[in-house]
Each structure stands twice: as C-alpha cells, then as structure tokens.
Amino acid sequence: MKLEKSSRFSACPGPVVTIVLDGVGISPREDGDAVKSARTPMLDRLMANFPMTTLLAHGKAVGMPSDEDMGNSEVGHNAIGAGRVFAQGAKLVAESIATGHLWQGQAWHEIVAAAKQGGTLHFLGLFSDGNVHSHIDHLRAMLEQAKKEGVAKVRLHILLDGRDVGETSALDYVDPFEAFLDGLRSPAFDVAIASGGGRMTITMDRYEAHWAMVQRGWDIHVRGEGRQFASAHEAIVTYRNESNVIDQDLPGFVIVKDGKPVGPIVDGDAVVFFNFRGDRAIEISRAFTEEHFTAFQRGPLPKVTYAGMMQYDGDTHLPPRFLVQPPAIDRTMGEYLAKNGIAQYAISETQKYGHVTYFWNGNRSGKFDETQETYVEIPSDVVPFEQRPWMKCAEITDALIDAIRSGKYRYLRVNYANGDMVGHTGNFEAAITAMQGLDLQLARLIPVILEAKGTALITADHGNADEMYELDKKGNVTRDAEGRTKAKTSHTLNPVPFVLVSGDADPAYRLRQDLKAAGLSNIAATVLNLLGFEAPDDYDPSLIEQA
C-alpha cells in the first residue's frame, strides 16, 4: 500500500486539517436557513476570501439508490474517507430483496426455521421511509415473505422516526401499515405491532453515549414492561396530547390485549433488527448476542435466533448472523496514510466520534497503526441538544489546537456535530445559536492552522441546519393560514461547502473548474495531494490542480 510521491504537488509545509461541519449545507433560499440566519463572520470571511466550491453529498454521489435520497453522516464519512463511492446499505438491501437473494441466504433460512419451530418472529427497527437507517418497504417485503414461507406468528417493535422524516409524521406510517397488516392477517398468520417508542428515547443509542436508552427499549421490547395501550395509534395520540413532543422523543409503549403484552421476546423466538445502518444498531445487537454483557441488567436472557439486516461491525463480527452483506470498503485514505508513516489525529465528541473513526475508515473499528494514529473522544452532553446547542465545540477546539501546536501530526480531522444534532431537533433558534457557537471556534482554530503553515479543508457531510422548515413540492417553505411554518428535522438534498484555506499568498494549486459533479469522495485525493502524494488510480479525482 505504498503511496507514490507526487511530481505535481509538493507537500504542504504544515499540517493538513479536514474540518467537517456536520449538517451544514448550502441552501438556495434564506427562509428557514439557520446557517444564513446565524451571525457567522468567520465562516463568511473564509467563504468570501478563499477558494470555494460546493460538493454533492446526497443520492448516487454517496452510494444511495437514487438522487431523491438524502445523504447522511454514515455514507458521507464513508465517501470522504474511502475516496470512492460504494453502494450503501439502502441500495444493497433493496437490490437483495428485489433479486430474491435475501430469501436465499442462510441467515434468513435460520430465522424462518426458528419461527416455524414454534417461536414468534420479531421485527425491530426504525419505522419510516427515511432511508437513512431503514426503510419501511423492506419490512413490508419481509412480512410478505414470512407469510409465504409459512411463519405463523409475527410481532413488530416500531421505533418512531420524526428525524429523517417529518417531525410529527408517525401516524402517516402507523395507520396505513395497520391497514396493510389487516390485509396480511389470516387464521394462519398472526401479525401485530407489539411495542414502540421514539428513536431518541429508546433503543437507538450510539457510541455508548446513553445506555439507559437501550435499557428502556430492552424492557419494552423484550420484557413487555412499559406503559400499556391497546394500539400504537392510541399510544401516539395519548403521548402527544400529554406532552406535546415530536415523534423522535415519544416515550416507549407496550401493546396489550386482554391485559397481557401481545409480543414479549421469549426463548425460541427469532429477532430481526431491520436497520441497515450500523451506528445505532450496535448496542441493541450487543444486548441480544453477548453472553457476558455488563452495560445494564438484562434480566433472564431469552435464547433467540438474532439477525441484523447487515453486519454492523465487521471487526467484532457483530452481529454474527446478518441478512445482507455490507459494502466492502477497502484501502481508505486513513489506511494508506497509516501504512506510509503519516501521523494522524481524529477528534469529535461522542455523538460523531465514530464518524471520524469507524465510518471514516470504511466501517472498521480500531486503528490501522497504533503508533501513527491518535483518536480523541470528547464526551457529549446527555441532554436535549437544543438546550446546549454549542455542544462540545469549544472543548473539541481546545484539544485540536493543542494537537496542531504539538507538531506531531501531518494530518488531522475533526467533526463538529452542532449543525446536525441541533438541526435534528427542529428548533430554529437553537440551530442559529449552534452555528454562532461553531463560528467562534473556527475563529480560534483557523489562525492556529495558518500559524503552523498548514492548510484547512472546510466541508460538511450533508445538509441539515440549512433547511429547518418543511418545503412544498416546488421547494418553497410551507405555511399554514396564519403564516406559521412547520419545523423540518431531517437532512437536506442541498450541496455542501468546500473551502480551501491556506496562508500562502501565491499557492501552487487552485481548485479545478472542470469537475462539474464533484462530491465528498473527491476530498481524499485532495488531501493526499496536499500531503505530497499521488492518489491511488481508482480514487475519485482531486479537487485541486497546479496553479
């Protein structure tokens, strides 16, 4: 894996620093754009005075099935780190179902066999068509196939979205799906929703930030312990009337009939976690599969046949049983640099730590070379992000400045989570505060990079804070009769910035003008060029050329 020295580019005299402003896109409108509405003098100055372009961060440019699909942090960081575009989970699962390959796999056969031996088949996952972590159509297809193969009893455990889709759209999914289940149900096929709750309240924690979420989900899905309702519809309406929270924050619920939970998970059952994305699937998968598990008290562990939609961690082989092969991302930029003696530094707070490590390295946990890589995780706040929209950007910047000044690292990368995590709350004012807090940190960081004779690449993995209001089909902000807007909590289809910041008065390189559809995958070759290397032949082309 030797990198060739470039004959076209001399190495930057100082460090090269990639700064990912998570969730900060470039919107064509101003209404509802927290990025433009915020006072960000540093970011504005950088965009105005240094070479800048925009990059595609959604759809086919990041391996999603179509250009109607939003990008997300997983696929965005995969693309930045890999230097190439790989077909991602959403596309791989859809193709596996369409071709019938999923039904022919050993994992599916084992799941069905367990259910047909007298157990219940349980499906657990994010219940929407956001196509970021899961897709409801995949669940429909698996239910139809299970019935076709003679499974007698199925229970669904639904995690309500309101984050990758409309913030209060849960009933738009639940009510039609109940009608779909009515059409499937027969004397030989018993199917029902058994439990659920908001994705930011139960089950879908990530990076071990808040194991209590997973424990709440475990108690609800597995043990059938939680507030009881006759239907998911009743639970959603009741919680909304009581607390006025959006879908992602709805408390958990258990569906009961004749006073008993309709679908606790017990010995002999089969369980499919149907999310294809890994970060929010790992902890619940560990709870089901690890014999010596200490994160929380599970109680009696039911002996079940468990499968993930995909394998969520290839290094730890978690889970051991999975339905669809994940993308095989090899020869990432991080691996090349580690094996060519380039010292690297990666930092973020807990909420995005795995994105600058695990996803950046092609869904690989751990380091390529312990002597060449330093990974730093700043613990995130365990509060709603709109309450502290500055998050940990100052603490991240403190550590990053120290790392740059140490002179130990040739390449550094950082993810600032503010634009994404606060954008997901739908709170416009909080998102403005998030951007302003972030701008203060850029004002601290950029001079330090330039003092070290370094180069900064400022970009983002997808949009979010740039579009905080729902849009109509024409792309205009929707308003009710009183002129009120509706909050948008999902990612956007907007491109993201790419700003090349260098202290050289007469740099030896410039942004290329001939790349008309450049995307995040073009960043890796750019970094390698700035470090004085030629990129591998199959990497997407660099964004810079000789001046």
Side-chain angles (χ1 to χ4, degrees):
M1 293 192 66
K2 183 172 176 55
L3 289 169
E4 298 298 326
K5 293 287 186 180
S6 177
S7 60
R8 301 176 301 138
F9 298 98
S10 57
C12 173
V16 175
V17 185
T18 300
I19 302 168
V20 179
L21 309 180
D22 208 300
V24 177
I26 303 292
S27 170
R29 64 192 64 78
E30 294 192 9
D31 201 7
D33 185 343
V35 179
K36 290 193 180 83
S37 298
R39 184 179 181 277
T40 54
M42 187 62 182
L43 184 58
D44 295 344
R45 191 178 310 127
L46 294 172
M47 289 182 170
N49 296 325
F50 289 91
M52 176 182 168
T53 188
T54 59
L55 302 177
L56 297 175
H58 75 285
K60 295 178 181 178
V62 288
M64 299 296 282
S66 78
D67 287 335
E68 313 267 301
D69 293 305
M70 301 173 297
N72 61 68
S73 296
E74 174 189 18
V75 301
H77 287 80
N78 276 169
I80 297 172
R84 295 152 287 161
V85 178
F86 288 82
Q88 290 290 338
K91 184 175 182 179
L92 294 172
V93 173
E95 289 177 348
S96 185
I97 290 173
T99 61
H101 185 71
L102 191 152
W103 323 129
Q104 298 160 14
Q106 180 179 349
W108 177 258
H109 287 313
E110 291 174 353
I111 287 289
V112 169
K116 291 175 71 173
Q117 289 170 6
T120 298
L121 173 53
H122 299 264
F123 290 102
L124 167 62
L126 186 62
F127 193 70
S128 80
D129 57 2
N131 220 27
V132 173
H133 291 266
S134 67
H135 199 295
I136 201 169
D137 287 351
H138 303 161
L139 177 59
R140 283 193 183 94
M142 289 188 292
L143 288 170
E144 291 170 341
Q145 185 68 22
K147 179 179 180 179
K148 187 183 300 184
E149 295 193 30
V151 173
K153 185 177 180 181
V154 176
R155 292 293 181 262
L156 312 180
H157 306 269
I158 60 174
L159 304 173
L160 304 174
D161 195 343
R163 192 173 174 91
D164 298 326
V165 295
E167 62 175 357
T168 54
S169 59
L171 294 178
D172 296 337
Y173 297 100
V174 168
D175 291 347
F177 208 85
E178 288 281 24
F180 166 73
L181 295 181
D182 286 342
L184 276 184
R185 201 173 284 117
S186 72
F189 189 64
D190 174 12
V191 59
I193 295 173
S195 73
R199 59 178 283 183
M200 296 303 289
T201 304
I202 64 171
T203 312
M204 277 179 57
D205 183 44
R206 67 178 174 196
Y207 308 145
E208 303 187 55
H210 195 35
W211 272 105
M213 281 175 58
V214 187
Q215 182 169 12
R216 285 193 292 269
W218 181 266
D219 290 343
I220 286 164
H221 310 312
V222 178
R223 300 164 68 104
E225 296 175 355
R227 187 171 173 183
Q228 299 181 347
F229 295 90
S231 69
H233 181 105
E234 179 188 49
I236 292 164
V237 171
T238 302
Y239 282 143
R240 281 186 184 163
N241 289 337
E242 289 180 352
S243 54
N244 194 33
V245 296
I246 60 177
D247 296 343
Q248 60 182 313
D249 298 322
L250 288 169
F253 55 85
V254 174
I255 306 304
V256 297
K257 185 177 181 181
D258 299 327
K260 295 182 179 180
V262 302
I265 298 172
V266 299
D267 285 353
D269 287 352
V271 180
V272 173
F273 193 74
F274 62 86
N275 286 17
F276 46 73
R277 175 167 156 172
D279 55 346
R280 293 190 182 276
I282 286 174
E283 289 173 45
I284 188 66
S285 294
R286 286 181 56 192
F288 272 107
T289 60
E290 285 187 4
E291 182 179 355
H292 303 291
F293 179 82
T294 58
F296 61 84
Q297 292 297 320
R298 292 178 296 192
L301 176 63
K303 297 177 181 178
V304 301
T305 303
Y306 181 85
M309 180 63 86
M310 305 184 84
Q311 188 165 66
Y312 304 125
D313 189 332
D315 288 342
T316 60
H317 305 294
L318 181 77
R321 182 184 294 105
F322 53 97
L323 302 180
V324 178
Q325 286 286 344
I329 302 176
D330 63 347
R331 297 184 297 107
T332 62
M333 171 174 53
E335 183 175 11
Y336 271 112
L337 293 177
K339 293 186 176 179
N340 283 269
I342 303 299
Q344 301 174 69
Y345 181 93
I347 184 170
S348 187
E349 61 179 276
T350 305
Q351 287 295 330
K352 298 291 180 177
Y353 172 72
H355 291 75
V356 291
T357 55
Y358 174 81
F359 288 127
W360 193 286
N361 291 334
N363 305 336
R364 181 187 188 280
S365 57
K367 299 173 183 175
F368 297 105
D369 186 333
E370 289 283 346
T371 67
Q372 297 292 342
E373 296 171 272
T374 299
Y375 294 169
V376 177
E377 176 185 355
I378 305 295
S380 289
D381 295 319
V382 186
V383 298
F385 297 112
E386 67 270 27
Q387 293 181 13
R388 294 181 186 171
W390 45 88
M391 299 183 66
K392 294 298 184 181
C393 63
E395 292 86 343
I396 291 169
T397 305
D398 292 343
L400 185 54
I401 286 173
D402 287 345
I404 292 167
R405 286 179 171 161
S406 75
K408 295 178 181 177
Y409 306 102
R410 289 288 293 129
Y411 180 59
L412 303 94
R413 57 187 184 261
V414 58
N415 180 297
Y416 287 108
N418 307 63
D420 187 47
M421 300 308 295
V422 182
H424 276 310
T425 70
N427 188 315
F428 184 69
E429 295 301 326
I432 290 175
T433 302
M435 288 304 306
Q436 292 177 171
L438 182 55
D439 194 69
L440 289 172
Q441 304 316 312
L442 289 176
R444 296 176 59 208
L445 176 61
I446 296 300
V448 174
I449 296 172
L450 297 181
E451 286 168 10
K453 301 186 184 304
T455 298
L457 289 69
I458 302 173
T459 190
D461 52 346
H462 55 76
N464 190 331
D466 46 292
E467 201 171 279
M468 297 288 294
Y469 297 155
E470 290 285 358
L471 306 178
D472 62 23
K473 292 181 179 179
K474 294 183 179 180
N476 300 313
V477 172
T478 57
R479 297 181 183 274
D480 63 18
E482 284 74 41
R484 291 188 295 258
T485 59
K486 185 174 183 180
K488 178 175 181 176
T489 55
S490 63
H491 296 169
T492 75
L493 299 175
N494 294 327
V496 299
F498 180 85
V499 188
L500 190 62
V501 181
S502 171
D504 290 340
D506 186 22
Y509 47 80
R510 63 191 174 203
L511 290 181
R512 293 176 60 172
Q513 302 300 311
D514 58 331
L515 297 177
K516 301 303 181 186
L520 298 178
S521 57
N522 296 89
I523 293 174
T526 311
V527 169
L528 293 176
N529 287 168
L530 291 170
L531 291 169
F533 298 108
E534 289 294 341
D537 290 341
D538 61 345
Y539 269 35
D540 288 340
S542 173
L543 295 165
I544 59 175
E545 62 184 359
Q546 289 176 295

